[in-house]
Amino acid sequence: MNQATITQAIRTGGTALGIELGSTRIKATLAGPGCQPIASGAFDWENHQENGLWSYRLEDVWTGIQTACQRLAKEVKETYGEELATLGAVGVSAMMHGYLPFDKEGRQLCPFRTWRNTVTEAEAAELTARFGFNIPQRWSIAHLYRAVRLKEDHVQQLDYLTTLAGYVHWQLTGEKVLGVGDAAGMFPIDSQTLDFDKNMLAQFDRLVQDQALPWKLREVLPQVLPAGAPAGALTPAGAKLLDPTGVLQPGALLCPPEGDAGTGMTATNSVAPRTGNVSAGTSIFAMVVLERPLSKVYPELDLVATPTGRPVAMVHCNTCTSDLDAWVEVFAQLLGRAGASLSKGQLYDLLYQAALEGPPDCGGVVSYNCYAGEPVIGLSQGRPLLTRVPGQALGLGGFMRAQLYAAMAPLKIGMDLLLKEENAALDQLLGHGGLFKTPVVGQRLMAGALGVPVSVMETAGEGGPWGMAVLAMFAKACQKTPGLDLESYLAEQVFAGAKGSCAQPQPQDTEGFAAFLRRYRAALPVERLAGDTEL
């Protein structure tokens, strides 16, 4: 793809903008012909606690989006000599789940409660038992039921409940819609109707009928749309929200907003049965597209959906690289005191390589990386914790391998239920996210830990915002070719000829991780006590 082709696409609206609001970064990616990424921009942000609950401020949402889009537009201007005035399509993605309620005037009724909160254990358990369907603590319906049970004042004023991606899409288009993959993290989806399950909706309404609520559940939830469906157009007000300078023009098609799970599946071409992907960043989750339903309910396994509505089993863990990143920062401070200088990327590569060279069982080191509660391993409160076996030498390699294994251990526990108990078919996992940025190391150790091949494609670094841009391009293509299916589109027009690498499980890694996991499980009571202890 030459520069003249890209420049023409920018001028004529042959591009798609993908925006993703992740847990630590808001990123915008512009895709051009062939869905190739041609420019990007980003903004760093952090969650905070309000009244004991993890949250993000909505004003920070728009600051972040505008900054990311401004940086993207600057790159377009500097690289291609063009103002970014016309877009062909736009897509918005964000962290799934959580609780974001509004009244009839569109006013936010309470601070955004994110996926990270683990305060709905009782409500999630009751809904799971009633529905015969696993309802995780972070799902929107668990948070809503908790608000109802606690008789929070705002519940009587509720008019619309959505996700973060659904909120941004609503502000850009005026449309109260949600992609089926993101919707599957609010309330159970019927894969036949591609809508919220009617029987479970009715069950919930009966459950809360004594509360005299002025709404029925379906009335306050978004309309559900599959990938490829038109989901509105960028309004003049929406264009101003993306670009306050007024250069960007309204009118672009918007595709259904999706969650970060859906964009991860898209970005790794993992939307067909027997495919799966693992996203490893601030949080870690793996998804496997199912050939058949699970035999029973597992609290550790979520049932969500691809952007086209196919059923997906998901293992989601709240913390992945946060504690590892904190340790890397400690080493960076040490280097600074010694007068040495390494870039962030060089330091990560150095430490990851040390992990690969360390003892396969971590030399007796066990680490817990839990910044928050972790339902998969039964933690209501998190506490980063490091312990080791006395008498074994403490080395950098074993220490760093333990940090990486800590990020994988809860995922392994959940994945064993899916792959061993349910015998779910999985040909390979596609990896993406920060854990895989250093070549080979995270990929190889993940393959050994999970016992399945792990592939990383060259596009893995583009991640969710690029996946969202691809979904926007797909919606545009569906206008020209009705009936186009996402699996074929990705295989034939996006990933044909894509390059990557595949790591097979190595026996020494598999055996070493098993030894680490035995110690990890044995010391879990210590981690639970640490989390419950006030320091």
Side-chain angles (χ1 to χ4, degrees):
M1 185 171 55
N2 59 43
Q3 182 146 334
T5 301
I6 297 173
T7 300
Q8 181 66 11
I10 294 169
R11 287 175 183 165
T12 60
T15 59
L17 174 66
I19 298 169
E20 183 156 282
L21 294 95
S23 53
T24 59
R25 296 190 97 196
I26 297 173
K27 190 172 180 181
T29 294
L30 191 68
C35 293
Q36 294 301 304
I38 58 176
S40 64
F43 174 83
D44 293 337
W45 71 336
E46 288 289 346
N47 55 190
H48 62 279
Q49 284 196 317
E50 288 192 31
N51 299 318
L53 295 174
W54 293 103
S55 184
Y56 296 85
R57 296 182 182 90
L58 294 191
E59 52 265 35
D60 295 339
V61 167
W62 296 111
T63 299
I65 289 175
Q66 289 167 8
T67 302
C69 288
Q70 180 186 48
R71 291 170 177 169
L72 180 150
K74 181 181 179 183
E75 183 177 331
V76 169
K77 179 68 172 176
E78 292 176 348
T79 306
Y80 307 105
E82 293 290 328
E83 298 278 6
L84 187 59
T86 305
L87 293 168
V90 180
V92 179
S93 172
M95 299 167 281
M96 292 176 66
H97 320 297
Y99 185 70
L100 196 47
F102 298 89
D103 67 12
K104 288 182 178 179
E105 282 70 45
R107 294 176 297 214
Q108 185 181 6
L109 290 173
C110 73
F112 173 39
R113 298 169 184 176
T114 78
W115 56 270
R116 198 170 193 175
N117 292 293
T118 53
V119 296
T120 62
E121 182 177 5
E123 292 78 13
E126 183 178 345
L127 291 173
T128 296
R130 183 172 291 268
F131 294 160
F133 187 102
N134 184 36
I135 304 296
Q137 290 195 51
R138 65 188 180 280
W139 279 29
S140 306
I141 190 59
H143 284 280
L144 175 60
Y145 187 35
R146 179 176 182 269
V148 170
R149 290 185 66 178
L150 294 179
K151 300 184 185 299
E152 295 187 27
D153 292 341
H154 75 265
V155 169
Q156 293 290 331
Q157 305 169 55
L158 179 63
D159 183 70
Y160 184 42
L161 178 64
T162 189
T163 64
L164 185 55
Y167 161 74
V168 174
H169 182 97
W170 173 34
Q171 300 305 301
L172 297 181
T173 65
E175 301 290 339
K176 295 180 177 180
V177 302
L178 202 59
V180 63
D182 203 7
M186 293 192 76
F187 192 86
I189 288 289
D190 182 335
S191 291
Q192 299 302 312
T193 64
L194 300 185
D195 200 355
F196 297 117
D197 188 287
K198 289 184 178 179
N199 291 331
M200 295 183 197
L201 289 169
Q203 285 179 288
F204 183 85
D205 287 335
R206 289 194 294 271
L207 177 63
V208 298
Q209 62 186 356
D210 61 336
Q211 300 293 323
L213 300 171
W215 44 263
K216 298 292 186 183
L217 180 57
R218 189 64 189 90
E219 296 170 355
V220 300
L221 294 176
Q223 178 188 357
V224 181
L225 296 174
L234 186 64
T235 64
K240 277 280 192 180
L241 282 172
L242 295 181
D243 176 22
T245 70
V247 172
L248 183 64
Q249 298 302 299
L253 170 74
L254 267 86
C255 66
E258 265 299 344
D260 49 3
T263 58
M265 285 184 262
T266 303
T268 55
N269 194 19
S270 304
V271 298
R274 301 178 66 95
T275 64
N277 79 93
V278 56
S279 173
T282 304
S283 64
I284 186 168
F285 54 85
M287 294 171 291
V288 177
V289 185
L290 299 175
E291 290 186 303
R292 56 178 175 78
L294 299 182
S295 65
K296 62 180 181 179
V297 175
Y298 294 89
E300 300 89 351
L301 299 179
D302 302 0
L303 285 177
V304 290
T306 69
T308 58
R310 290 187 183 275
V312 174
M314 178 188 204
V315 181
H316 184 285
C317 306
N318 284 341
T319 310
C320 182
T321 61
S322 295
D323 198 43
L324 188 154
D325 294 341
W327 283 110
V328 173
E329 176 58 28
V330 169
F331 288 117
Q333 292 174 17
L334 176 62
L335 287 173
R337 284 179 175 268
S341 178
L342 285 178
S343 71
K344 192 173 182 180
Q346 288 173 323
L347 182 55
Y348 271 94
D349 288 349
L350 188 70
L351 293 171
Y352 272 47
Q353 191 60 42
L356 201 60
E357 296 166 0
D361 69 344
C362 305
V365 178
V366 177
S367 179
Y368 297 92
N369 67 340
C370 306
Y371 271 39
E374 192 58 83
V376 171
I377 53 175
L379 290 184
S380 58
Q381 301 289 333
R383 180 67 55 78
L385 180 69
L386 183 76
T387 183
R388 63 189 183 96
V389 177
Q392 294 197 40
L394 177 63
L396 179 63
F399 176 84
M400 285 307 302
R401 187 177 279 235
Q403 303 312 312
L404 288 163
Y405 277 176
M408 301 172 188
L411 183 74
K412 166 66 172 176
I413 291 169
M415 286 293 284
D416 276 355
L417 295 175
L418 182 61
L419 301 180
K420 295 182 178 180
E421 297 293 324
E422 287 290 323
N423 294 310
L426 177 62
D427 295 329
Q428 68 175 356
L429 276 175
L430 277 295
H432 62 108
L435 193 74
F436 301 106
K437 282 186 178 180
T438 296
V440 179
V441 181
Q443 183 182 0
R444 178 182 139 180
L445 294 183
M446 183 74 75
L450 299 184
V452 296
V454 175
S455 294
V456 175
M457 292 185 289
E458 286 184 346
T459 54
E462 302 298 336
W466 177 68
M468 198 65 235
V470 170
L471 288 173
M473 280 287 201
F474 175 65
K476 193 75 171 177
C478 286
Q479 289 193 323
K480 297 179 181 178
T481 311
L484 186 64
D485 68 87
L486 182 60
E487 290 90 342
S488 299
Y489 180 80
L490 293 179
E492 298 168 9
Q493 299 189 42
V494 181
F495 292 101
K499 297 179 181 179
S501 63
C502 181
Q504 298 288 337
Q506 301 293 313
Q508 67 270 28
D509 296 332
T510 300
E511 293 166 9
F513 182 83
F516 171 88
L517 192 62
R518 284 193 293 271
R519 296 190 185 104
Y520 184 96
R521 288 180 182 271
L524 269 174
V526 179
E527 167 64 9
R528 293 191 183 100
L529 180 61
D532 292 337
T533 301
E534 293 289 339
L535 295 181

